[in-house]
Amino acid sequence: MADRRPLWIVTGLLLAASAGLWGSSRLNWSPELTGSEQVSGLIPLALLSLAGIAGVLATSGWPRRIVGVLLALAGFAACWLAVNGAFAAGQALWGRALTLLAGVAVVVAGVLLVRSGHKMPRLGAKYDAPGKTTEPDGEKELWSALSEGKDPTV
């Protein structure tokens, strides 16, 4: 069974990043404007991070790696929003710093998914059949007869 720790690390990073992005949208970025008023992309990026959790848990293999690439791009976008205009006059840095930290967390989660996402367990994997079952032809016919509503014992 695959180690679950990297999956929980990615999930925790995305959850923390989502909370950080939402929190930074509520902080003042300038004396008059909050983060969501100054930069409109913070809340959508927070929701994308939450949706990334569902994408990570529901997929495996290449689709999970694609989710990782999309999350890494979203993390870079959050980092860009944090540093773009950060050193202009009158800018508060706490909201931007929280956005930068959350963006880095999303990038790290995305890189982890791209690098080792195919090794992480996926939702419902324990219910998969361990291998192809080989049934004798006679037994298969009995089950087919039962499925058709016939009694094969008569």
Side-chain angles (χ1 to χ4, degrees):
M1 183 154 206
D3 186 22
R4 294 181 188 274
R5 188 174 306 142
L7 182 64
W8 286 109
I9 290 171
V10 168
T11 304
L13 282 172
L14 290 174
L15 188 61
S18 178
L21 287 168
W22 179 81
S24 69
S25 74
R26 301 292 175 228
L27 292 175
N28 286 334
W29 282 34
S30 67
E32 305 87 27
L33 300 173
T34 63
S36 63
E37 294 170 342
Q38 189 165 352
V39 179
S40 62
L42 292 176
I43 293 176
L45 286 172
L47 293 174
L48 183 67
S49 296
L50 277 178
I53 294 172
V56 166
L57 294 176
T59 60
S60 65
W62 283 104
R64 187 176 278 175
R65 286 182 171 177
I66 292 170
V67 169
V69 168
L70 294 175
L71 286 171
L73 291 174
F76 283 124
C79 291
W80 173 252
L81 291 176
V83 298
N84 187 23
F87 301 107
Q91 295 293 312
L93 295 180
W94 290 110
R96 290 181 181 273
L98 185 58
T99 301
L100 183 62
L101 185 65
V104 168
V106 174
V107 169
V108 168
V111 168
L112 280 172
L113 285 172
V114 170
R115 192 173 139 251
S116 61
H118 63 285
K119 298 177 191 173
M120 297 177 194
R122 72 175 171 86
L123 191 66
K126 69 179 182 179
Y127 299 111
D128 288 345
K132 185 178 177 183
T133 60
T134 56
E135 295 177 346
D137 289 335
E139 191 174 330
K140 188 182 280 186
E141 291 173 8
L142 292 174
W143 286 110
S144 296
L146 281 174
S147 296
E148 294 171 2
K150 300 175 187 171
D151 186 7
T153 58
V154 191

